């Protein structure tokens, strides 16, 4: 009698099991549909983002492609790497080129002789350089202006008193100030180098006005600056052979320095930052693992009530 | 009797220690211009020059051909130029 009742009860238990598994299957299917919807959304977002990125890139390229000048090729500068400093011997030679060639037309109004100290010249050398110029100063205690030799705090002299005088002397063209020219031009020192060494005969069909020359790296091609760098236009103090490309490289390096005087300091700071942040990252990783160890190593066990 | 009119004048040879300076960029440009695709670009540029100079009423210019040629030439030169400079 009791055995029969137990068997009947067991039969009911067996019957209820399929219903439970059916409900679980429903839950799974609805969860699956939710997940697949989310996947579609994420996929669509990804595709749209990729498309927009490609469109922006294509527009950028098309704008560059339609320019009116040749793009300067990338040269292998000493300071090109992430941790590479400027070649200060080249900067010093570049200063010589600027002083003897470029300064006839171009000003350098934001560089003083004191900026050369510790970079290209010693203090005594920089003072000697400064004393070669004549500076209008004053007024003195009787109210008169006077001229004196330059000193370290004086800025490089300008060849023209103002822009109008510069334009009048250069057939309407203005020789730009060279202090920040490398930062001001797309391509930077590559552009400067290519411009100085890229003079070419004008192609057929191109008409140049008087006082203009052809340079394919200059926008439009017609440039008012004649070619000024030839082999041996100056003699280097350190005996380097003054070929045209050497002169152009050195003056471009010098102009890189005048545009970014903090260049070497910035690269040095990067080295320090990498060292310090690396150390701190290791420490913070350890602390994170330590703090989260209890949470990440816990185990959850289900213990049913005694029936 | 006439004196011997032949007078030997000593000839001083100029010193050869000052040699001609060769720009590595110019040398590399000549070397690169001999390459196949750059030579064909140069020929194309020259053809354009001849064509435009041969006509009197055209508005065509050879700017594009020159740009293509100069870009390829200097890109070729840039690979090794700075390794030859100090």
């Amino acid at each position: 009698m009791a055995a029969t009742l137990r068997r009947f009860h067991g039969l009911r238990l067996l019957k209820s099991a399929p219903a439970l598994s059916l409900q679980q299957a429903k839950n799974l299917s609805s969860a699956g549909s939710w997940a697949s919807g989310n996947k579609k959304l994420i996929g669509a977002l990804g595709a749209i983002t990729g498309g927009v990125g490609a469109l922006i890139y294509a527009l950028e390229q098309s704008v560059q492609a339609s320019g009116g000048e040749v793009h300067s090729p990338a040269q292998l500068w000493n300071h090109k790497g992430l941790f590479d400093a400027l070649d200060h011997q080249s900067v010093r030679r570049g200063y010589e080129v600027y002083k003897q060639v470029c300064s006839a037309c171009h000003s350098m109004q934001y560089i003083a002789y004191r900026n050369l100290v510790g970079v290209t010249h010693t203090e005594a050398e920089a003072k000697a350089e400064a004393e070669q110029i004549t500076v209008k100063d004053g007024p003195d205690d009787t109210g008169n202006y006077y001229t004196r030799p330059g000193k370290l705090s004086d800025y490089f002299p300008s060849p023209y008193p103002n822009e109008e005088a510069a334009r009048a002397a250069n057939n309407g063209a203005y020789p730009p100030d060279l202090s920040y020219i490398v930062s001001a031009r797309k391509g930077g020192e590559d552009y400067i180098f290519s411009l100085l060494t890229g003079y070419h005969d004008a192609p057929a069909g191109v008409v140049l006005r008087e006082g203009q020359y052809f340079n394919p790296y200059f926008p439009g091609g017609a440039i008012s600056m004649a070619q000024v760098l030839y082999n041996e236009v100056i003699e280097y103090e350190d005996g380097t052979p003054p070929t045209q490309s050497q002169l152009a490289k050195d003056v471009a390096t010098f102009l890189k320095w005048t545009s970014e005087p903090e260049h070497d300091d910035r690269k040095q700071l990067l080295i320090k930052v990498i060292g310090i942040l690396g150390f701190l990252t290791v420490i913070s990783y350890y602390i994170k693992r330590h703090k989260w160890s209890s949470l990440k190593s816990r185990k959850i066990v289900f213990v049913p009530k005694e029936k | 009797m006439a004196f011997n009119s032949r007078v030997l004048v000593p000839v001083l040879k100029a010193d050869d220690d000052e040699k001609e300076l060769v720009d590595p960029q110019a040398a590399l440009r000549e070397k690169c211009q001999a390459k196949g695709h750059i030579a064909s670009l140069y020929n194309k540029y020259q053809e354009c020059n001849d064509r435009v100079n041969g006509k009197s009423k055209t508005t065509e210019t050879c700017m594009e051909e020159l740009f293509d040629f100069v870009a390829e030439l200097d890109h070729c030169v840039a690979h090794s130029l700075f390794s030859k400079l100090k």
Side-chain angles (χ1 to χ4, degrees):
Chain A
M1 198 69 169
T4 306
L5 185 63
R6 181 178 293 273
R7 186 180 304 108
F8 178 76
H9 199 70
L11 191 63
R12 169 173 276 186
L13 283 178
L14 282 175
K15 275 192 174 180
S16 68
L20 283 177
S21 64
L22 193 64
Q23 281 186 350
Q24 287 176 359
K26 273 190 173 182
N27 288 338
L28 285 175
S29 70
S30 76
S33 71
W34 176 84
S36 79
N38 208 28
K39 281 182 182 176
K40 286 180 182 175
L41 181 63
I42 292 173
L45 278 180
I48 291 172
T49 304
V52 171
L55 177 64
I56 291 173
Y57 179 76
L59 289 177
E60 176 68 18
Q61 286 302 112
S62 72
V63 167
Q64 289 195 32
S66 65
E69 74 278 357
V70 180
H71 292 181
S72 311
Q75 305 287 348
L76 308 174
W77 302 94
N78 297 88
H79 55 271
K80 197 167 185 175
L82 210 57
F83 307 111
D84 294 328
L86 289 161
D87 180 1
H88 283 238
Q89 281 188 317
S90 189
V91 175
R92 183 184 174 116
R93 290 195 298 268
Y95 167 75
E96 292 175 34
V97 177
Y98 167 76
K99 184 179 139 189
Q100 299 180 51
V101 179
C102 310
S103 64
C105 294
H106 289 278
S107 61
M108 183 81 72
Q109 57 174 327
Y110 297 113
I111 302 294
Y113 287 98
R114 60 185 161 77
N115 299 130
L116 302 177
V117 177
V119 178
T120 55
H121 291 72
T122 64
E123 185 171 342
E125 284 171 339
K127 281 181 177 174
E129 289 290 319
E131 280 163 8
Q132 294 177 22
I133 68 168
T134 302
V135 176
K136 186 185 180 187
D137 204 346
D140 57 14
D141 52 9
T142 59
N144 297 315
Y145 288 89
Y146 59 95
T147 57
R148 59 165 175 79
K151 50 193 179 187
L152 280 180
S153 57
D154 292 318
Y155 286 83
F156 286 11
S158 297
Y160 304 106
N162 49 59
E163 178 172 341
E164 286 70 28
R167 287 188 184 278
N170 288 283
N171 212 28
Y174 177 57
D177 184 78
L178 293 185
S179 304
Y180 296 112
I181 198 71
V182 163
S183 300
R185 295 288 181 266
K186 186 177 173 59
E189 61 267 32
D190 291 322
Y191 169 76
I192 303 293
F193 180 84
S194 298
L195 189 76
L196 293 171
T197 58
Y199 283 85
H200 202 277
D201 293 332
V206 170
V207 181
L208 298 174
R209 292 190 283 115
E210 187 182 348
Q212 284 189 322
Y213 310 86
F214 190 81
N215 192 315
Y217 291 100
F218 190 74
I223 185 173
S224 290
M225 177 173 78
Q227 180 173 355
V228 288
L229 296 185
Y230 297 91
N231 290 351
E232 299 180 273
V233 291
I234 69 164
E235 286 256 345
Y236 280 132
E237 279 177 17
D238 60 357
T240 302
T243 59
Q244 186 201 47
S245 47
Q246 182 72 57
L247 295 159
K249 181 200 178 194
D250 291 336
V251 75
T253 306
F254 172 70
L255 296 178
K256 173 73 174 180
W257 170 74
T258 60
S259 295
E260 295 176 33
E262 84 295 345
H263 177 275
D264 288 0
D265 294 337
R266 186 169 14 97
K267 298 272 177 82
Q268 209 171 30
L269 189 61
L270 175 62
I271 296 172
K272 292 176 181 175
V273 161
I274 287 176
I276 292 172
L277 285 193
F279 176 66
L280 292 182
T281 300
V282 169
I283 290 181
S284 61
Y285 182 75
Y286 173 80
I287 291 174
K288 180 263 174 186
R289 297 282 290 181
H290 177 71
K291 293 286 184 184
W292 280 71
S293 62
S294 60
L295 183 62
K296 290 213 162 191
S297 62
R298 71 176 181 176
K299 292 186 176 180
I300 298 175
V301 181
F302 174 69
V303 182
K305 292 177 185 177
E306 294 292 344
K307 258 191 170 181
Chain B
M1 198 172 210
F3 283 96
N4 191 344
S5 63
R6 288 182 52 187
V7 179
L8 291 177
V9 179
V11 178
L12 291 177
K13 290 188 176 179
D15 285 339
D16 280 332
D17 55 359
E18 193 68 37
K19 291 191 175 179
E20 190 68 33
L21 211 58
V22 177
D23 188 5
Q25 190 184 35
L28 279 172
R29 274 176 172 162
E30 285 179 23
K31 189 190 292 184
C32 286
Q33 193 163 328
K35 289 192 174 182
H37 66 292
I38 299 181
S40 68
L41 284 173
Y42 184 70
N43 291 335
K44 199 172 174 184
Y45 170 61
Q46 287 301 329
E47 279 174 20
C48 180
N49 274 348
D50 297 340
R51 179 171 70 249
V52 171
N53 288 329
K55 298 176 182 175
S56 59
K57 293 188 178 178
T58 181
T59 58
E60 184 186 3
T61 71
C62 301
M63 193 85 100
E64 183 189 347
E65 283 82 359
L66 177 66
F67 281 6
D68 291 344
F69 165 66
V70 166
E72 286 298 319
L73 183 70
D74 280 350
H75 187 265
C76 172
V77 167
H79 279 116
S80 53
L81 172 59
F82 270 39
S83 62
K84 300 186 193 314
L85 298 176
K86 192 173 177 182

